[in-house]
Every structure is written in C-alpha cells, then in structure tokens.
Amino acid sequence: MSDTTAQAGFSELVAGELPYLRRYARALTGSQARGDQYTVATLEAILKDRSPFENGDPVKVNLFKCFHSIWVSSGQTLTDPEDAVRSRAHGLLAKLTANSREALLLRTIEEFSPTNVAKIMQTDVEEVRQLIATANKELASSVSGRVMIIEDEPIIAADIQAIVTSLGHEVIGVARTHTEALALGKEHNPDLILADIQLADNSSGIDAVNDLLELMDVPVIFITAFPERLLTGDRPEPAFLISKPFQEAQVLSAVSQAMFFASTATLK
C-alpha cells in the first residue's frame, strides 16, 4: 500500500469519528464554537504528528486521547477572560474534582469502556471509576431546575421522567406533538428541554425545539438514533445528544451536565 493510500485511509477513519469528538467537546465546554476550537486544535496536532496512532488501539480511542492531551495542557479554558458569563462557568467548573466530568462523559455519553477511558485519560481503571462516582455526586448536587420532555412514546417518556426526577429536577410536562410542545413551553418556560426527533404527529422534534428557542434561551438534549446527522457543523447544534437506545446513565449524565451549564447561562 502506498503512503498516499495509507494516508487517505487514515483520514477517512479519523473523519468517521469526528462527529463524536465534536459531541464530546461541546458537552465538555458548554459551547459549540469553543468545542470546535478544541477539535480543530486536535486535528492540527494529528497532522503534525501521527505517532500517537501507531499502536494497537482503535482510531477513536487515540483520537480522543489526543484531544484530552490538548484539553488538559490548555488549562481547560472555556473562553476569553473578558467574557464574564463564561468566566463564571469556568470558575464553577474549577471547583469540581479534576477530570471527573471528562471521565463521566467518556463513559456514559461516548460509551467507552472503563479500560479505554483510562487509556484516553492516561490513568488506571480504578481511578476512572472513582472519578465517575465523584462526577455524578458533584453534578447532581450542583443545581436543580424545571425540565420539559418532548417524547411521543409513553413508556420512554415515563422512563425519562423517572430519571430526571431522581436527580431532584421538576418535570413540567410531557409533549407528544409539535403543537403540544409549543403550548407547554410557552406556559411553563423550562430550564431544560429533552426532546425526541420523531413525534406522534409525524412532525419534527427539531422543528419544535427551534420554534421554542426563538422564545427562550435554554439548553437542549436530543435523543436520536443518528447523532451524526445533528453534528455537521453547518448550523447551531443541540447542547447534548443521546443515542438510541439509551442507557439510564447517559440520561443522568447529560441532564446533570446540561443543567450545570444552564445555571451559568452558557449554553445556547
């Protein structure tokens, strides 16, 4: 195989994992723009040196490992010091146990095994487990709020509601259609929206959320079987994406992190 062919194959493998790296970066920073800056910095580093990929680990593990190295070495900044709102968010994050949110997101949202999380963070599995437990505790106790659910499947809606309330949040209601979602949102003005994409009346949960975001400024968690379709970079993207079928830990993690950022008004 020629060097050119090998390079093309490597580039395709990395490109295939980029939507998930962008999802992780945005969940970590609370900002689409800021998350993408870290993603670009990671790609630039890879272009200069591919040696971190010269091992037996999957490309995705090595890609996230490169990102984590840059994230840690940068001081994990969210924004410029002049931005008072995001500086406040950074200050709150600084009070959390170091690397705890990273471990939680990698394990729950990105679904890496504890072993691979340890490789990405360059630590051991036991430390990863301790960090995840700490993150769950610290984030769950950081803030509570009012959550709106847009979901047309009653059983799934009930499961989500149970998970959200277990964290101490109030569920203001469940909407099954675009019309119900607009009415519910206007009436209760939630702190967080958790939405499915396909609704009971065959309308789009994305359209419902976009209409609501014209009236309010709150974070959104989308539930979808195709998260990469919402991670194109061509338009504003949701705060968090949970892949279907989801696990309870994913919802717990996403809701806790989104509500934490919502308390600092940093998510658009």
Side-chain angles (χ1 to χ4, degrees), residues 248-265:
E248 179 178 348
Q250 292 177 305
V251 180
L252 287 169
S253 175
V255 170
S256 293
Q257 307 243 6
M259 288 299 296
F260 179 87
F261 274 109
S263 71
T264 64

Side-chain angles (χ1 to χ4, degrees), residues 9 18 40 45 80-81 140 149 168 174 179-180 199 234 250:
L18 276 183
V40 169
D80 297 328
I149 299 172
V174 177
T179 301
E180 289 179 9
L199 303 182
D234 296 332
Q250 292 177 305

